[in-house]
Amino acid sequence: MKFIVSSSALLKQLASINGVVTNNPVVPILENFLFEINDSTLTITASDLETSMITELQVEAKESGRIAAPAKILIETLKNLPDQPVTFTIDEETYTIEISSSNGRYKLSGENATDFPRVPVVKGGSAIEIPSNVLSRAINKTIFAVSNDELRPAMTGIFVQLRSDNVTFVATDGHRLLRFRRTDIATSQEASLIIPRKAFTLLKSTLPSEATAVRMEFNQSNAFFSFDNIRMICRLIDERYPDYENVIPVQNPNKLVIDRAALLSSVRRISIYSNKTTHQIRLKLSGSELQVSAEDLDFSNEANERLTCQYDGEDMEIGFNAKFLIEMLNNIDADEISFELSTPNRAGLLMPLANEDNENVLMLVMPVMLNNYV
């Protein structure tokens, strides 16, 4: 089997799916890419059993064939070659791959393609189309709040809820919750699924920046995404997602409106003086003034700043984890934000004062108990 391909074109396609390949896979053959040639089309597959990505490109080839090619050495070779046509000659008896370029020849050992696991096919599933820019935005707005706790597998993915009037993406780690909703995308067949973090991370890095329709199909066990010449199949997390709607407090009489950048800068500076274990900062609200402060009693460090704001409600003092607040404020695009609070021991709601068209972003953050000092 022999084919000729542009080194840079091949590298671009391999790089787009290389994130799937793990260093210590369950099955050693998963350290390889699966190369399949049919009618001058090279189909490349990468898999880790949970997630598979497939891409295609046109090559010069007269015959068909399959081989598993080692991912790491192949990518390193192509990275260090100038852009030029390269010839792959594959011996299907010994699984030897020879790459010929104007610089020289490189020989590497492949593996039997029949050992590569079969990629699942989504049959009899439902489908929906989402613009790539919307999907990318939904992932960016939620993925940082996904839990790492393997004891609560449902929370290690993003919950996608498809309804007749909107699509909602939810992520939570028990300390904060992110809800991203689009009202311009809907489906007649309502469904809920949990997509693993790794699948969405890989998808985010390969989604085109220009608006492209991403087709998403799913059944009970797998989700299938396709756009341009890339396809991705991932196994869904088969767990029950927490009832997030019940966690969102409805009665929040204390409302704070403040400049996002000013609050973010202040929290960043004040957090330097917070306890390195708890990252606790306190917000003291009274009238049109917000006082942000922190103290680290172990080292006698403390800091406080005063910010002007619009505040409607009773005077109150509430503590938060500065790391969580910084991440959440970083993920809001609006100039001004609204912070809705009820009591110092109940969750606060953080949201842009004005949402983008057809979009609703809500962030919930749990407070931390203040150790009141004199």
Side-chain angles (χ1 to χ4, degrees):
M1 183 172 99
K2 194 174 182 179
F3 66 91
I4 302 167
V5 64
S6 152
S7 61
S8 59
L10 179 58
L11 177 61
K12 187 182 174 190
Q13 297 306 320
L14 293 181
S16 67
I17 65 169
N18 186 44
V20 182
V21 182
T22 52
N23 289 330
N24 295 305
V26 186
V27 188
I29 195 158
L30 296 177
E31 289 179 319
N32 296 265
F33 291 121
L34 175 64
F35 278 23
E36 295 176 283
I37 289 186
N38 232 327
D39 300 331
S40 297
T41 300
L42 171 62
T43 304
I44 311 160
T45 306
S47 177
D48 68 356
L49 293 182
E50 296 287 320
T51 309
S52 302
M53 286 187 88
I54 302 160
T55 184
E56 289 178 350
L57 76 160
Q58 294 302 306
V59 296
E60 280 182 52
K62 291 189 171 66
E63 53 203 327
S64 300
R66 304 169 81 223
I67 186 85
K72 194 174 179 183
I73 192 168
L74 193 54
I75 282 191
E76 289 298 325
T77 306
L78 293 169
K79 266 184 190 170
N80 290 290
L81 276 177
D83 182 20
Q84 59 183 289
V86 289
T87 305
F88 280 72
T89 309
I90 291 146
D91 186 328
E92 293 188 64
E93 296 289 314
T94 60
Y95 312 120
T96 305
I97 303 164
E98 191 176 287
I99 306 168
S100 308
S101 71
S102 58
N103 297 71
R105 288 162 64 235
Y106 318 93
K107 217 172 200 179
L108 53 152
S109 56
E111 289 190 51
N112 190 342
T114 53
D115 297 336
F116 203 88
R118 288 176 67 87
V119 173
V121 179
V122 177
K123 285 182 182 169
S126 310
I128 185 171
E129 281 204 352
I130 304 175
S132 58
N133 54 335
V134 172
L135 184 55
S136 182
R137 195 168 160 77
I139 297 169
N140 280 326
K141 291 281 176 221
T142 51
I143 201 157
F144 70 91
V146 172
S147 174
N148 294 317
D149 186 357
E150 296 297 333
L151 296 174
R152 294 191 282 183
M155 287 156 66
T156 61
I158 293 177
F159 182 59
V160 182
Q161 209 169 25
L162 307 167
R163 289 181 174 153
S164 55
D165 55 351
N166 65 58
V167 170
T168 304
F169 295 77
V170 181
T172 183
D173 61 4
H175 302 288
R176 58 205 163 152
L177 181 142
L178 273 287
R179 188 190 73 191
F180 177 90
R181 183 167 280 164
R182 287 290 295 207
T183 53
D184 57 342
I185 302 165
T187 175
S188 54
Q189 250 183 318
E190 299 199 351
S192 299
L193 43 150
I194 307 172
I195 309 275
R197 181 217 297 263
K198 180 176 178 179
F200 263 156
T201 304
L202 291 166
L203 197 61
K204 185 181 77 165
S205 62
T206 48
L207 283 170
S209 48
E210 63 280 357
T212 307
V214 179
R215 183 173 172 82
M216 175 175 148
E217 294 175 66
F218 54 92
N219 57 19
Q220 288 294 312
S221 50
N222 294 291
F224 178 93
F225 298 86
S226 56
F227 57 93
D228 294 345
N229 61 335
I230 288 183
R231 288 170 282 157
M232 185 180 91
I233 300 100
C234 70
R235 193 176 295 169
L236 300 175
I237 296 174
D238 185 18
E239 294 283 336
R240 185 184 167 86
Y241 203 76
D243 185 358
Y244 72 91
E245 295 283 8
N246 271 343
V247 184
I248 300 168
V250 183
Q251 300 294 323
N252 303 295
N254 304 317
K255 290 184 172 61
L256 161 73
V257 174
I258 193 166
D259 181 83
R260 183 192 70 88
L263 180 59
L264 177 58
S265 300
S266 180
V267 172
R268 275 200 172 123
R269 288 188 295 270
I270 297 294
S271 67
I272 298 166
Y273 294 84
S274 66
N275 182 288
K276 296 297 171 275
T277 309
T278 63
H279 306 287
Q280 177 187 292
I281 61 163
R282 62 177 69 215
L283 307 183
K284 194 173 183 180
L285 294 147
S286 56
S288 59
E289 187 179 87
L290 167 66
Q291 192 174 322
V292 186
S293 63
E295 74 283 348
D296 186 351
L297 300 177
D298 297 340
F299 297 97
S300 302
N301 297 337
E302 60 178 274
N304 71 74
E305 289 186 14
R306 293 174 192 277
L307 302 170
T308 54
C309 62
Q310 289 170 255
Y311 179 60
D312 181 20
E314 293 178 9
D315 290 4
M316 72 179 293
E317 208 170 336
I318 188 166
F320 288 108
N321 181 316
K323 280 176 71 180
F324 292 164
L325 270 190
I326 289 167
E327 274 189 320
M328 292 165 92
L329 290 167
N330 260 331
N331 268 276
I332 296 179
D333 305 324
D335 294 334
E336 286 193 304
I337 56 142
S338 165
F339 213 153
E340 297 186 3
L341 306 159
S342 53
T343 59
N345 60 354
R346 293 196 65 197
L349 298 182
L350 192 61
M351 56 199 100
L353 191 61
N355 274 299
E356 304 265 329
D357 290 346
N358 302 313
E359 191 176 285
N360 182 278
V361 178
L362 180 139
M363 304 186 174
L364 175 148
V365 59
M366 297 301 292
V368 291
M369 292 299 290
L370 288 170
N371 45 344
N372 283 311
Y373 64 100
V374 179

